Amino acid sequence: MGVTGAGKTTVGRALAEALGSDYADADAFHSEDNVAKMSAGEPLDDADREPWLRAVGDWLAARDAAGGVVSCSALKRTYRDALRERGPGVWFLHLTGPPDVAAARVGEREGHFMPVSLVTAQYAALEPLKNDEPGLTVEFVLPPEQIVEQALRALAEIQAESSKEVI
């Protein structure tokens, strides 16, 4: 999760490969209307995102037992709650960092519908991952390999904790 330009796709693909899991980019779940709106520099509102979040959540729920990785902005707590409602085991890797770096990355992309002008709107809407939400926050300025290593360590710790016997 994170704003546009945080490296969600790069990290998500690498994490899915390391885990041997299915991967999806949540951008592929947007309606044509949502893509057109964002392409025009208009931020999506909650009503625009609702069917999109439902589709992403359904994708995750279908992979709940086997696991799956999806790159998704999930900017607000309510969006993450909606994803967890459909896939109760959802764990978030929040990629966070400076707006100027995210904007520079978006400006360098070719063939993507998200304009640089929406970086500011995404930061304004962002509600960072809270301590009571399952996940990990990592700086996106780190190399993707280091981010994936941190995520894998955190996931291994969770798995180790859940496999301990209670006496």
Side-chain angles (χ1 to χ4, degrees), residues 8-141:
K8 297 181 302 290
T9 300
T10 300
V11 171
R13 285 182 178 146
L15 184 58
E17 184 176 323
L19 293 169
S21 296
D22 288 344
Y23 171 77
D25 189 321
D27 285 346
F29 296 89
H30 277 298
S31 68
E32 288 181 22
D33 289 343
N34 280 3
V35 171
K37 190 172 183 177
M38 289 182 285
S39 295
E42 294 180 53
L44 300 179
D45 60 27
D46 290 351
D48 296 324
R49 286 189 175 98
E50 194 273 328
W52 170 70
L53 287 166
R54 191 172 47 248
V56 173
D58 288 347
W59 186 90
L60 287 166
R63 284 148 188 85
D64 192 43
V69 176
V70 65
S71 299
C72 179
S73 56
L75 296 174
K76 294 183 180 182
R77 171 101 187 217
T78 56
Y79 304 164
R80 297 187 296 272
D81 290 345
L83 294 172
R84 280 191 295 267
E85 184 178 306
R86 291 184 120 59
V90 173
W91 183 87
F92 294 92
L93 176 59
H94 180 186
L95 302 178
T96 188
D100 60 323
V101 174
R105 289 178 176 180
V106 172
E108 293 170 2
R109 290 197 294 209
E110 292 184 21
H112 195 277
F113 59 82
M114 185 69 84
V116 174
S117 62
L118 288 182
V119 172
T120 301
Q122 288 217 326
Y123 273 95
L126 177 65
E127 296 173 4
L129 192 67
K130 301 291 185 201
N131 291 336
D132 66 331
E133 293 182 272
L136 174 71
T137 300
V138 179
E139 290 288 324
F140 65 61
V141 294

